[in-house]
Amino acid sequence: MSAPPLIVPAHSQEADDLAELREAALERTNASREEAGLGSLTRSDVLDDAAQGHAADMLERDFYDHISLEGETPFDRFLAAGGNRWAVSGENIATCTGCAVPADVDRVDAFHDGWMQSPGHRENILSEGFDSFGFGIAGAGSAVYAVQTFSGPGADEEGDGAALGPDEVAETALQQINNARTEVGLAPLELDVDLNEAAERVLERVAQDVEELPENIFELLPEGSTGWTSLSVQSTTLGGSGASVTEEDLSTIISDWTEAADQGDILGGSHSSHLGFAAEAAGDGRLSAVALFGEK
């Protein structure tokens, strides 16, 4: 027979005490990151709310899990608290029985030490992809639940993680697209400055969530650009892609486009001769890319 659910309310931590505990949690986390040569995290009200809500929920309903009784995930809680859907998030949880309530700084330190000795929890604390931090804690009787929450743009992939400049983005995309086209027997494309400019204009719309393009996409070309017999556009937006555009990002995007296309339409198909390309990382994890294929 299962034990009845815990029905005592979470201990109400005084506002000043909670602020002190959150500051202590952030200080310990940033000290660990500094030792690892990583940048500091910034406290986030959104992440604080998500963490406190989950700590109180686990206490009041007597469960201990990253997934709530309704199936809500850490990322669900992050979004519900007002988090950015393009970011990545993480969560560490801990509990203690036979502990003093309300919790104090020593208890926060003990939770942090435990997290740092656990590979999965340590990975969250020392993640290069996070830049923000939240903390929640709730206790009643002799039970205490604590939650750390994290978010950020995601980490750039190692190896191919160097940020690309605007010119490098187009040149790297051209090389990768031509490699993919060669594999299916299509002729390589040439990079075109007019198509690059038109791709930048499409990118502005994509970044602003403007889904519709002009009925005549030739209107996107700069004035005086002539000789084009056909144009086609391909675009995408990814989340959790880091704070910059990298070679690995472009490889992922072009691979996705290749796999999703019909054989005859892969990356501009047989009717395209030139390419324009633009990509931008918003800094919050969102990365948008546009390829404009043209025939002359």
Side-chain angles (χ1 to χ4, degrees):
M1 187 174 180
S2 61
L6 183 67
I7 59 174
V8 292
H11 183 87
S12 177
Q13 198 94 37
E14 293 295 329
D16 290 344
D17 292 342
L18 184 55
E20 179 185 3
L21 298 186
R22 283 175 170 164
E23 187 62 30
L26 179 59
E27 287 179 0
R28 288 299 306 275
T29 296
N30 280 337
S32 295
R33 289 177 63 87
E34 184 178 359
E35 290 177 5
L38 299 171
S40 297
L41 304 181
T42 302
R43 195 180 68 79
S44 160
D45 290 339
V46 166
L47 292 174
D48 279 344
D49 289 346
Q52 190 63 34
H54 191 47
D57 188 34
M58 288 190 293
L59 175 68
E60 293 173 3
R61 298 202 287 172
D62 191 24
F63 75 99
Y64 180 65
D65 202 313
H66 290 289
I67 308 301
S68 76
L69 299 181
E70 293 78 25
E72 183 184 57
T73 68
F75 193 67
D76 291 333
R77 290 189 287 274
F78 172 62
L79 293 180
N84 173 14
R85 67 189 178 100
W86 300 110
V88 292
S89 70
E91 179 182 86
N92 288 340
I93 60 175
T95 187
C96 173
T97 57
C99 297
V101 177
D104 57 16
V105 171
D106 288 341
R107 173 45 46 201
V108 172
D109 288 346
F111 280 143
H112 181 83
D113 290 341
W115 282 322
M116 285 298 292
Q117 294 174 36
S118 168
H121 298 96
R122 179 186 178 90
E123 183 177 351
N124 275 337
I125 292 171
L126 301 183
S127 172
E128 295 184 17
F130 295 142
D131 59 17
S132 301
F133 177 84
F135 184 79
I137 193 163
S142 61
V144 177
Y145 291 81
V147 179
Q148 287 181 324
T149 47
F150 309 85
S151 72
D156 293 326
E157 296 288 337
E158 294 183 6
D160 293 327
L164 299 174
D167 292 338
E168 294 176 304
V169 165
E171 291 288 349
T172 302
L174 175 68
Q175 180 180 357
Q176 293 188 2
I177 286 173
N178 279 340
N179 288 342
R181 285 174 59 88
T182 299
E183 290 181 3
V184 295
L186 294 174
L189 305 176
E190 295 180 26
L191 204 61
D192 184 86
V193 292
D194 288 349
L195 292 187
N196 278 346
E197 184 173 336
E200 289 283 357
R201 294 176 179 177
V202 177
L203 183 65
E204 291 178 6
R205 292 170 175 263
V206 172
Q208 296 171 8
D209 293 323
V210 178
E211 297 183 359
E212 294 185 1
L213 294 176
E215 291 185 10
N216 181 4
I217 62 174
F218 286 85
E219 296 176 2
L220 297 170
L221 292 167
E223 186 175 354
S225 182
T226 60
W228 300 104
T229 57
S230 69
L231 295 176
S232 63
V233 177
Q234 196 149 12
S235 65
T236 194
T237 299
L238 304 177
S241 296
S244 58
V245 182
T246 68
E247 185 174 340
E248 184 67 24
D249 291 327
L250 298 182
S251 178
T252 298
I253 290 167
I254 292 166
S255 177
D256 288 346
W257 284 346
T258 302
E259 292 177 3
D262 294 333
Q263 185 69 20
D265 295 327
I266 289 177
L267 301 173
S270 60
H271 297 294
S272 296
S273 57
H274 294 75
L275 172 73
F277 193 91
E280 179 182 56
D284 61 356
R286 177 175 181 171
L287 187 151
S288 301
V290 172
L292 184 58
F293 302 97
E295 179 185 16
K296 274 193 172 182

